[in-house]
Structure formats: structure tokens, C-alpha cells
Amino acid sequence: MTAPISRDDVAHVARLARLTLTDEELDTFTGQLASILDHAADVEALDLDDVAPTSHPYPLENVVRPDEVRPCLDRDEVLAEAPSAEDGMFRVPPVLGEAP
Amino acid sequence: MSPVERFQTAAGVAAAVATGERSARSVLDEHLARIDEREGEIHAFNHLLADEARARADEIDARIAAGEDVGPLAGVPVALKDNLCTRGIPTTCSSKILDGWRPPYDATVVTRLRDAGAVVIGKTNLDEFAMGSSTENSAFGATRNPLDTSRVPGGSSGGSAAAVAAGFAPISLGSDTGGSIRQPAALCGVVGAKPTYGRASRYGLIAFASSLDQIGPFARTVEDAALLMEVVGGHDPLDATSIPEPFPDLRGTLGRGVEGLRIGLVEELLGGEGGFQPEVQARTREAADALEAAGAKVDVVSVPASTYGLSAYYLIAPAEASSNLARFDGVRFGLRDERATMGETYDATRTAGFGAEVKRRIMLGTYALSSGYYDAYYGKAQRVRTMIIDDFDAAYERFDVLLSPSSPCVAFPLGDKTADPLTMYLNDVCTIPSSLAGHPAMSVPFGTGAEGLPVGIQVMAPALGEEQMFRVAAALEAAAPGGAR
Amino acid sequence: MTATETSFTELPHGYRLVVGLEVHVELHTATKLFCGCPNQFGDDPNTNVCPVCLGLPGSMPVLNAQAMELAMRLGRALHCEVRPSVFARKNYFYPDMPKDYQVSQYDQPTNVDGHLDLPDGTRIGIERAHIEEDTGKSTHVGGANSSSKGRIHDAAYSLVDYNRCGVPLVEIVSRPDFRTAEQAKAYVNELRAILVATGVSDAKMEEGSLRVDANVSVHQPDTPFGTRCEIKNINSVRSLGRAIEYEALRQVDLLEAGERVIQQTRHWNEDEGRTHMLRSKEEAEDYRYFPEPDLVPMVPDPARIEAIDAALPRLPAERRAALAEAAGRTLPDESVTIVVDRGLDELALDAVAAGADADRTLTHLQHDLDPGHAANVPAAHLAQLVELETSGALTASQAKQVVAEMGETGKAPEAIAAERGFEAMDTSELEGIVDEAIAANGGAWEKYCAGEQKAQGAIVGHVMKATRGQADGKLVSQLLEQRRSA
């Protein structure tokens, strides 16, 4: 059985999810997540090593599309929805650091 | 007078418009008048598309005048849940983070509605990103139940359910992840159906939990629900999880009765351990009796693993949501709270753009997937899903359809369940098991419960079992006691 | 410390080098991995985009059949087992990744457990070759310290183009089987040849359709492998060698100074010839992989795999082996490797089968025939040419010229030789010229007779000048040798 979710866990998870929480929110969410996870303890307690996981409820396989070009979107229409654009590109604040 | 008698059905409208007996424009104006009258107190819509709808209705009328066959939903006003993408029309998921966003494309179901001659009348309110059971979690204010405006319409498709119940449109589309069509249908006294996972294309449905989400109809009659399901259902090459089999002729099976069908009352979903309103339990048993009287064989059946449904669902759905909702990052569309760096902008945008319930589920899901917890939570929940499917399969060896209440309770007052998330989650206890299994299930009004509010009965069927499900729903509709207000 | 141009085979202080490579290859498809946008390099920014590759809300991926086909073809060319596969989401926030997750294969990749044999016979294990989607491209626009585009750290803002986003990639992960930088370079060259031969990718490092990351570590013999660093931003095969060697020496210096190597990702700076730290792997991201619910499992049909195997072109290693055997070599040598690289091995095999001397054939195909002209040269013509040369009717240098012209014109070798007035020089005529040359170069002749072999150069040069290059160099040497020992 895993230990109850801690305030530090919640803070870590918020960082991964790119959310900023106030101290008060951190307390509230910690309590709420703990109670939801506590309700899930029945599932956590099951021994299911022999049961395969289901990630797709309707079992399909080998679904593909032909390698044929379809129309693209109009760039102006796309960039009109962008918070900021320049030279046909999406403008964003400086990134500071390479992609992982 | 029941809602069905007061308002026209989609099938009735389409027949009248197609033959020129009525104009699409007059049908629309009638609905707009009702919206004008009651939308202020109900708030079913995020965006009412009156002008676009009038232009569209006129176009339909012109085409009919020119002798064209405009399709099976000729001139029928349809309301769309505001998580279905509509080209050039705001699509918000009732979230600040998408406020004002106009998608550059239509969802497949929207294209199919248009091709069938429907008139899109507006985009309906929902719990933000479909996360909730009361439509109180909307950034644009709660929707109220047309039958009692002090109460919730259920959720998350509360706007679509309320729109149909209030006569704003004969039919509407919602989405159902853990009960978001069936529970509000029950609370608003209308029919609501979730097809087999993969029956309706999800292309253009803004994802909450991809392995659970399905689009489905709200209607005031089982026939209308079948009609709408036939229009939007069927294979779509743009959705890799779309079922290739052709969609069945549902309306053709509605009159076939239930003679000889084997119907199981699911023991675990009858609320033996409390929390279920006694009137809800009583109506469920009466529904079973009515089906038996109509010639079905009814017995009680156990689906043991369904008791784990809620726990598994509240690990799987948030996990998928945590990933699906990552793209709301302020880069390409929607809200941006710009700061000095991209990282700070992500944090500020998402913190400002998402409401509390969405944040809660994103964090829960992130935790369930995170290093060191995946096996205990997400991985375990996916195995429970297999158990539930196996237990359903065993039950469906002996029964053609299964029966339960759609919701443990009738419509509850606004604010009643907002304090504790878990209390709200328990509303989905009956609807979640078939969602996890990917099976079709629908809610049909059957009498009233506390305060004279409607009770919904859930009819469940195995994968691809829509035909027998709709047959049983039609029989329940025919047998339902009158007096739903 | 600076990186040097010279490569080494041994590290200082007895350290051994261990390298593994991760190669990303863009697949040569018409459209992207999950949508119908063109897979095309060099178009105006954000013109090859749609809801799917822009990650717009509500959009859904559908797998490109040809991408799957090419990935399996590559897998088979690398002798991998092709297995049922599942796509997964790798979750991280970055503006060039529009969904803020990358769809990739994680614990169930399409291809596992293969190998690639280098020309020198070294076998490099392939751990896996999995399919994933490419990212968009960011341009960093200068800030206070710079007016130029391109530097990330002092940029004022960035501009993002999603044309490349969603282009199908295969990531080929080798086992840590490289012991020298030369092997790593040979591997990339060999892999490129396979990718081009199979039509899987155009494999252009300069356009980024083939990208290499190197995992480098050092250790002492009979001790466990050292801590590795991953080197990114390697833009050419030459840089790969430089980066590995720089990084290996950096790690040796650290260890010799009593410090430890910290697992990290490092960036190769081509201009400075050094690597610098990008981030520490100890604060590794938690990617929260889980199966992609919008895509279904891929289960390869055994008949399809058989068909792929049957349709695979002969790969460079196999072609080298065949040519080496035909040329009477136990292992492929440089000439065999080059002839195969130039795509002239079929011609060589046919000419040798028609009776041509293998060494002369390989020499001409290695140096004298433009591969673009190969279609003009029937194997029979090449065999005739080699025969003219070995019989002494043409000298080596004459033969060289004839081969080039055969390629340009498609004419038969005799006709070219006749047109050019290449006629076999009478030995007696040549003897006279040799004697004249000896007389004219008395000093050189004395040295040659005293055993100084290279002194013959001046005499041979004289003969060649007198015959305008038409004398057979071998025959001249023979005549000189006869006169010295007489």
C-alpha cells in the first residue's frame, strides 16, 4: 500500500502539470486528493498480476490511413487564433533551455 | 401535459418540413421564442446562434422548395454541447482557457448533422471540460434544471439535457465519459444514450478521457434518440478508434417489443448499501416488472467487479485528462497570460485558465501516472477495467440487457454537493461501469421520485448491442407511468 | 583542452571508450505520421499544418500505413524482430511539441534485437528501432545581448513553425558496442547507405532528416562501464567523431583529476569544438508514459513481414561480401567497400564473371568510372577493356582514359583506343627508348644500380615523357630490372 499523498507530492505534481498553487490551495488539494485516493484503496489492494490491463475498451488493431495528402489549414485562419504571431509563425516568450 | 405532447419531436418536425407542411424557419422561430422566454433563468446555452440558425433554416426551406431531399433531420433544431468543435463558432468547453476560441474545423458529428439537414441552434453549457455531474463547474455560470430551477440539471452535459427538457430544441448532442449524458437525462426527465465506445466519431470532440468519451443524443422520445444516433453514428476514418461495422437501423427495431428478451437487474447497482433514494429503487423494480409484464424474462444478476468502477474511473479518467489537457498552454490558441519566459507563461496561463475541479483532476491524473505510482494506480485501474469487462461478459451470457437506476437520486439543489468532490463523484456510481467496459447504455424516464422529480432507468447492453438496448428503452417508454412534470 | 582533428584508437591512462548511438531518421513518406499534411522540407512556415499536427483541441491521430511499412522495412534491414507494437504518450511541455506530449513507442516498439555489421566486420547490436513523431522548429530571436537569430539563451522571444511537427521518425537505438569514434562514424555511414538503399529515408544530415545523439562513457578494462553523457546537436559524421573524442577526453580528465562523471545531456558546439552541459539527468523529467488511447495496437501480419523480406534490396554488407568473394578476397577491402558505396558492384561482378581480372576491374570502378555513367558501360565492354590492359595492348594510364570515355560515350573500348591512337607499343621500340633514358640520366642509373630503388623514378619519368604516357609503367620497370641484373 502506498503512503498517503503528501503536501510535497501535490506540489511536485502541480509543477509537472504546470499549475501554480497558493499555500491554501495546496492544503485543500492535498486533503481532497488524499480522500479520493483513499476511496481508491479498494482497487489498490487487489492482487491483479494475472489480469491484463485494458487500455482500449473496444479491441481494434492495425487501423491505418493511406499515405495520401489532404488539404492543410489556411495559415491566416490558424494564426488569427494565436495569442501572438509574427512572420507566419507563433510567437512565444523566450524558452530558456532545450527540449528534453 | 408531458413534454413530448407540448413540444414537437425531431421525427415529427423533419417529416413536416420535408413535405413542406411546415417551414424550417417557423419551427426555428417557435424554438427561439421558447428560448427567449426561459433561457434567462435556465442558462442552457453558452452561445445562442440565432442569426446563423435563421440563415440556415431559410437555406433549408429554399432547398426543399427546389425539390431537394435535405436529409433525415430536415429543419430540426439541434443544440450542441460546447465541447464539440464548430468551425468559426466559439467552442469553449465552458472554460476560461478557451474563451473566444473559434476552431478552424468541424467535428465529424457536426458535419453529419449538417449533411442531414439539421439546424444548429446553439452551443450548450457543461461542467468545465465535461468534469462534473451538475453543470455547476462552468466558467460561465451554472445551468438550472427546467423542471425546478433551484435544482441542477445534472452533468456534465447539463446544458444539452436542459435545452431538450425546456423545449429549446427537440434533440441535442452531449458527450458521456462516466455518465455525462445518462445522469443529466435522468435528472431532466429526457432520454439520453451513450453508444458503444467507437460507434460515434470522437474527431472534433474536445477530449476529456479518450478511452471513455463517447458522443450521444438527448431527446424527448426514444425514437428521436435513435434517429439522432443513426445520423451521427457509424465509422469515421478520422478516428482510429471508430468501429468499422455499419451502424444498425435502430428505428426499425423499436416496435419489436421485448417478448423473450432476458433482462438482468444488476444487484450491485441497486443501492443496497444506502445512498440511493428509495423512490429511485422502487421505480427501478417497477420498470423491471413492467418489462416482465411486456413479455421479457427478468432476474437479478451480479456484476461483482462493478463495485470497483468508481475507484478505477477516478484514476483512469483523470490520468488521460492530465495528458489531454496539457495542450491548453497559451501557445497556439485560447488564453495566454504572458510572462517573461515560456515556463512562467505556461504556469500563469494554466493557473488562470482552469477552474478548481479541472485542476484537481489534472493533479490526480498526473499523480496516478507519475514515476513510482503508475503501477499502483493507473496500471491497477486498467486491470480492474478488464475485471469489469469479464464480469459483464459473464452476465451477458445469460442476459440480453441489464437494468439499473441511471442516478442514485433525483435532481438535487444547486450547491448541495459542491463542498466535497467525492460526494459529487458518487452520482456516477451507476453509469461508470458500462463506461469502463465501453458498452452502450441509455437512460429512459420512468415515473417520478422525491419532490415529483423524474427518475431515469438505465438500460445497458453488451458492445454493439444498441438494437436490443433501444428495443427495451422503447418498451420502458411505453410502460412509463404518466405524470412526470 | 580543445578537440583535435586527429582521431585516436586509444585513450590516455589505459581508459577504454564505450559509445552507443541513438539515430533519428525521418521516413520518406508523402504525408506526416498521423495526418495528411505533406511531409516536405523547406516550405513557408506553418503552411503544412492541420488540426492534428497543430494539436488543436478535438483532433485525433490516424497512423500512416506507409510509415508503418517503412519502419518495418528498416527493422528487417537491420535484422530486427518485428513485433506487435503500442504507441504511448511521452508527456512534457515544450512549445515545439503542440500537444505537450509526443506520441512514440515506449515499452512495445515495432523493432527489437537487430544488428548492423560494419565494413570491417564489427557487429553492432540494435536494441530497438521505434516509431515516433517529429517536433516543430523554434527560431530564437535575439535579445539585449545579441541581434542575431539562433541563440536560445539570450533570446528575447521565439518563433515556432509546425511544418516539421508530426513528420514520421524512426529512432534507432544501438547497444553500447562502439569502442572507437571511427566505428561510430562507419556505423552512421553504413546506416545511411541502408536507409537510401531501402528507400526508407533520404538520410540527409544537413537537412536534419538523419540526426545522431551519442552516449559516451569511459572505463578501465575489467571494470563496469562508466557513467555516460548524452551528446546532442551533432550535425555531420565528421562532428560525430570529433564530439565523441572530445567528450571521452573530457571524462578521462575528470576521472584523472579525482572527480566523477555526472550523468547529463551535453550539447556539441561545432564552432568551439567542445561540449557543454544542457541539463543533468539526475533531475530527470518524469514523462508519465502511458498507452496512447487514440491509437490502437499494431500487430504485424507474418505474411506481410515475409513480403517485406522478399522485397528487400541487397544491402551493402551482403553486396560487399559477394563482391569480395568474387574478387578472391577473404574480407571486403577498401576497393570493394568503395565500389559498393558507388553502386558499381553489379557491374564489377558481371565483368569478373565475364572473365575480367578482378583487381583491375575494381581499380577502374573505384577511380575511373563516374557512377552516373554506369548505364553506358555494359559489363562486356568493361571486361574487354580489362582484357586489353592485361594483355598489354593498353597501358594502365591508357586504360584509365578509355574507361572514362566509355562512360561518357557508351562506345566499345577498341573503338576508343583506335580513335585515340592507343596502340600497343612494340617492346623493341620501348627498349630503345629505355636505353636512351638510362643514358640521359646517368646519376640516377648509378644510384639505381647501387640498390636505391626509387632512383628509377627519374628514368621512368623520362620514358613516359618520351612516349607521351603511352608506355606501360610495369613493362618499363621490368626492362630496367633486366638491365640492372644483366
Side-chain angles (χ1 to χ4, degrees):
Chain A
M1 193 101 300
T2 52
I5 190 167
S6 68
R7 205 171 181 277
D8 285 350
D9 290 334
V10 176
H12 172 67
V13 162
R15 268 196 303 279
L16 281 176
R18 307 239 55 149
L19 296 168
T20 309
L21 301 184
T22 63
D23 280 352
E24 197 186 332
E25 284 172 326
L26 207 47
D27 291 334
T28 311
F29 281 133
T30 304
Q32 289 172 340
L33 295 190
S35 96
I36 296 164
L37 291 167
D38 184 53
H39 188 271
D42 58 343
V43 160
E44 211 194 329
L46 293 170
D47 178 5
L48 298 176
D49 288 350
D50 297 337
V51 181
T54 294
S55 41
H56 297 84
Y58 191 89
L60 294 172
E61 54 190 37
N62 296 334
V63 177
V64 293
R65 63 175 180 83
D67 185 23
E68 289 162 8
V69 173
R70 286 170 53 94
C72 295
L73 287 173
D74 175 66
R75 184 169 76 181
D76 293 339
E77 192 179 353
V78 167
L79 292 178
E81 291 297 325
S84 179
E86 183 177 311
D87 291 344
M89 290 181 270
F90 295 87
R91 180 175 163 155
V92 295
V95 178
L96 305 185
E98 315 260 348
Chain B
M1 195 163 48
S2 82
V4 180
E5 287 154 1
R6 282 194 292 138
F7 308 130
Q8 270 195 289
T9 63
V13 165
V17 170
T19 57
E21 185 187 320
R22 292 203 62 185
S23 70
R25 180 58 186 266
S26 71
V27 170
L28 174 67
D29 287 342
E30 192 180 289
H31 286 89
L32 289 174
R34 275 197 289 274
I35 292 169
D36 204 36
E37 194 182 319
R38 293 202 69 196
E39 170 64 2
E41 56 172 341
I42 293 172
H43 185 219
F45 291 103
N46 284 343
H47 322 282
L48 185 63
L49 302 166
D51 292 342
E52 294 89 336
R54 285 191 195 99
R56 168 74 174 160
D58 291 344
E59 178 210 326
I60 300 279
D61 287 333
R63 284 169 53 194
I64 286 169
E68 249 183 80
D69 176 3
V70 297
L73 291 177
V76 178
V78 183
L80 301 177
K81 190 176 183 178
D82 200 19
N83 60 355
L84 296 168
C85 286
T86 42
R87 183 169 182 177
I89 293 170
T91 301
T92 68
C93 287
S94 291
S95 180
K96 273 194 279 184
I97 211 156
L98 273 180
D99 195 4
W101 182 55
R102 291 167 189 269
Y105 76 108
D106 279 326
T108 296
V109 293
V110 173
T111 305
R112 290 186 178 177
L113 279 178
R114 295 230 168 91
D115 290 348
V119 175
V120 174
I121 196 168
K123 305 290 294 285
T124 61
N125 199 12
L126 62 149
D127 286 297
E128 185 179 0
F129 285 102
M131 296 177 186
S133 308
S134 67
T135 318
E136 290 168 287
N137 298 331
S138 165
F140 310 126
T143 296
R144 290 164 183 268
N145 193 316
L147 305 176
D148 177 347
T149 53
S150 71
R151 293 173 186 266
V152 302
S156 68
S157 311
S160 286
V164 169
F168 295 169
I171 49 175
S172 63
L173 283 180
S175 66
D176 188 314
T177 305
S180 280
I181 291 174
R182 292 160 284 164
Q183 185 258 12
L187 270 51
C188 289
V190 299
V191 177
K194 179 198 93 76
T196 306
Y197 181 83
R199 276 294 205 196
S201 168
R202 291 185 292 120
Y203 189 79
L205 164 66
I206 299 178
F208 160 16
S210 311
S211 77
L212 295 155
D213 295 342
Q214 269 297 291
I215 293 168
F218 287 97
R220 288 188 292 269
T221 66
V222 172
E223 185 192 10
D224 275 5
L227 170 61
L228 182 51
M229 197 61 249
E230 286 174 11
V231 166
V232 300
H235 182 249
D236 177 14
L238 298 180
D239 174 356
T241 64
S242 172
I243 293 175
E245 278 76 11
F247 199 79
D249 169 17
L250 293 178
R251 282 178 294 165
T253 67
L254 295 179
R256 282 167 53 192
V258 292
E259 182 81 47
L261 282 182
R262 302 162 301 168
I263 295 170
L265 266 173
V266 181
E267 195 178 350
E268 289 80 3
L269 304 182
L270 294 175
E273 57 188 81
F276 280 49
Q277 290 177 339
E279 298 90 338
V280 168
Q281 293 174 315
R283 293 302 91 76
T284 308
R285 291 184 191 283
E286 289 161 20
D289 292 345
L291 292 171
E292 195 157 40
K297 291 175 192 148
V298 179
D299 205 346
V300 174
V301 60
S302 174
V303 183
S306 64
T307 55
Y308 298 111
L310 196 71
S311 300
Y313 176 84
Y314 277 97
L315 295 170
I316 292 169
E320 293 180 7
S322 72
S323 175
N324 285 329
L325 270 60
R327 68 186 66 189
F328 300 95
D329 59 5
V331 171
R332 296 165 315 286
F333 53 83
L335 181 74
R336 175 189 292 180
D337 187 346
E338 181 143 349
R339 301 299 165 101
T341 67
M342 191 64 240
E344 290 162 24
T345 303
Y346 283 141
D347 294 340
T349 299
R350 292 168 60 80
T351 301
F354 291 134
E357 180 62 24
V358 173
K359 288 178 186 170
R360 190 153 42 235
R361 296 209 199 180
I362 288 175
M363 287 194 293
L364 182 58
T366 303
Y367 186 65
L369 289 175
S370 65
S371 172
Y373 297 101
Y374 181 97
D375 290 338
Y377 291 124
Y378 186 75
K380 194 61 88 55
Q382 295 285 51
R383 292 172 202 273
V384 168
R385 203 166 180 179
T386 309
M387 281 173 65
I388 291 174
I389 291 172
D390 289 349
D391 285 0
F392 267 123
D393 285 350
Y396 285 122
E397 280 178 20
R398 294 171 46 217
F399 296 94
D400 300 302
V401 302
L402 301 178
L403 224 56
S404 80
S406 301
S407 162
C409 59
V410 297
F412 47 89
L414 268 83
D416 216 26
K417 302 192 178 189
T418 46
D420 174 30
L422 202 53
T423 309
M424 188 69 88
Y425 297 173
L426 287 166
N427 276 296
D428 303 331
V429 69
C430 298
T431 47
I432 278 174
S434 42
S435 288
L436 287 169
H439 293 165
M442 67 191 289
S443 180
V444 184
F446 195 87
T448 56
E451 312 286 334
L453 289 160
V455 169
I457 301 300
Q458 178 175 228
V459 184
M460 295 169 272
L464 308 185
E466 279 87 357
E467 287 175 83
Q468 67 244 41
M469 177 176 84
F470 270 86
R471 272 173 72 188
V472 171
L476 276 179
E477 182 180 53
R485 58 179 190 183
Chain C
M1 183 173 66
T2 55
T4 60
E5 292 297 316
T6 54
S7 63
F8 50 81
T9 49
E10 281 182 29
L11 286 168
H13 309 292
Y15 285 93
R16 302 273 171 87
L17 174 65
V18 176
V19 176
L21 296 183
E22 295 172 9
V23 178
H24 286 86
V25 172
E26 286 184 0
L27 299 180
H28 190 64
T29 53
T31 65
K32 295 185 179 182
L33 184 54
F34 297 124
C35 64
C37 291
N39 170 12
Q40 209 160 278
F41 179 81
D43 288 344
D44 280 349
N46 294 309
T47 51
N48 297 333
V49 295
C50 74
V52 176
C53 57
L54 278 177
L56 295 187
S59 64
M60 296 180 68
V62 184
L63 181 63
N64 180 341
Q66 180 66 5
M68 191 70 212
E69 172 79 13
L70 293 179
M72 293 195 293
R73 193 187 296 170
L74 175 58
R76 296 305 292 167
L78 296 174
H79 310 283
C80 290
E81 183 193 343
V82 175
R83 299 175 46 165
S85 57
V86 170
F87 286 93
R89 293 186 185 176
K90 177 183 183 181
N91 295 283
Y92 64 92
F93 282 87
Y94 203 77
D96 67 14
M97 190 76 259
K99 302 181 298 295
D100 294 299
Y101 58 80
Q102 180 189 33
V103 179
S104 178
Q105 293 175 330
Y106 178 52
D107 52 359
Q108 297 176 67
T110 294
N111 302 304
V112 297
D113 287 336
H115 62 263
L116 183 153
D117 290 333
L118 302 182
D120 72 0
T122 307
R123 175 160 290 189
I124 303 299
I126 306 284
E127 188 180 310
R128 56 189 281 152
H130 67 260
I131 306 170
E132 62 186 32
E133 55 180 341
D134 208 345
T135 62
K137 264 187 144 165
S138 302
T139 308
H140 307 294
V141 183
N145 303 328
S146 159
S147 60
S148 65
K149 287 193 176 186
R151 292 179 60 95
I152 193 165
H153 296 288
D154 55 3
Y157 59 92
S158 298
L159 297 174
V160 193
D161 168 15
Y162 294 107
N163 278 352
R164 196 185 67 182
C165 190
V167 162
L169 296 177
V170 167
E171 179 175 347
I172 304 148
V173 182
S174 86
R175 296 196 187 281
D177 289 349
F178 302 98
R179 297 295 172 266
T180 68
E182 282 310 311
Q183 288 176 342
K185 290 162 71 176
Y187 170 86
V188 173
N189 284 328
E190 187 69 9
L191 189 56
R192 272 191 345 202
I194 292 171
L195 290 163
V196 171
T198 52
V200 167
S201 173
D202 57 14
K204 291 178 182 163
M205 275 186 100
E206 63 279 14
E207 286 186 7
S209 63
L210 185 149
R211 307 193 280 272
V212 183
D213 300 332
N215 284 302
V216 178
S217 67
V218 300
H219 73 132
Q220 286 288 345
D222 304 322
T223 66
F225 285 177
T227 303
R228 64 193 163 89
C229 289
E230 184 180 3
I231 316 300
K232 289 186 174 285
N233 193 46
I234 296 167
N235 295 319
S236 66
V237 172
R238 183 171 155 270
S239 303
L240 172 64
R242 293 178 69 203
I244 290 171
E245 292 180 352
Y246 171 87
E247 178 60 21
L249 292 173
R250 186 188 72 88
Q251 292 181 12
V252 168
D253 284 357
L254 275 177
L255 295 171
E256 284 302 297
E259 296 177 47
R260 67 190 185 99
V261 175
I262 298 164
Q263 191 178 351
Q264 56 190 211
T265 303
R266 300 181 65 85
H267 184 95
W268 168 249
N269 186 315
E270 180 69 25
D271 297 335
E272 295 172 15
R274 46 185 289 157
T275 62
H276 64 79
M277 190 180 98
L278 275 180
R279 65 182 165 273
S280 166
K281 288 263 183 183
E282 289 182 350
E283 53 194 62
E285 280 268 355
D286 182 347
Y287 292 122
R288 291 157 282 136
Y289 284 98
F290 73 104
E292 162 62 289
D294 288 335
L295 293 166
V296 303
M298 297 303 296
V299 182
D301 176 1
R304 184 72 220 128
I305 296 173
E306 274 177 36
I308 287 172
D309 286 349
L312 273 184
R314 283 154 47 83
L315 298 174
E318 195 189 336
R319 288 160 54 192
R320 281 193 300 268
L323 184 55
E325 194 189 343
R329 290 146 166 80
T330 48
L331 274 176
D333 61 5
E334 192 188 353
S335 64
V336 166
T337 302
I338 291 173
V339 168
V340 169
D341 279 351
R342 304 183 93 214
L344 298 174
D345 47 322
E346 288 293 329
L347 182 55
L349 287 169
D350 291 348
V352 171
D357 174 78
D359 290 340
R360 296 310 306 155
T361 301
L362 289 180
T363 300
H364 288 306
L365 294 181
Q366 185 181 349
H367 299 294
D368 307 332
L369 181 66
D370 182 332
H373 293 159
N376 287 338
V377 181
H381 282 182
L382 184 59
Q384 287 160 19
L385 175 276
V386 172
E387 174 58 27
L388 290 172
E389 186 184 2
T390 48
S391 70
L394 289 176
T395 67
S397 67
Q398 285 171 339
K400 193 178 169 76
Q401 295 169 52
V402 172
V403 169
E405 193 173 332
M406 284 161 63
E408 285 156 17
T409 64
K411 291 180 185 167
E414 293 94 336
I416 296 168
E419 279 168 23
R420 293 192 169 216
F422 291 162
E423 283 166 32
M425 193 168 287
D426 196 297
T427 307
S428 61
E429 188 186 341
L430 188 59
E431 281 180 352
I433 296 170
V434 166
D435 289 338
E436 282 170 25
I438 290 171
N441 295 278
W445 175 248
E446 273 177 34
K447 285 182 189 167
Y448 175 71
C449 290
E452 201 177 315
Q453 197 65 24
K454 65 182 179 189
Q456 71 160 313
I459 305 165
V460 175
H462 189 106
V463 174
M464 288 299 172
K465 202 172 171 187
T467 60
R468 297 199 313 278
Q470 292 190 24
D472 183 343
K474 264 191 201 160
L475 188 54
V476 175
S477 292
Q478 275 174 24
L479 293 172
L480 287 174
E481 185 56 38
Q482 281 171 15
R483 277 155 180 72
R484 178 167 68 178
S485 50

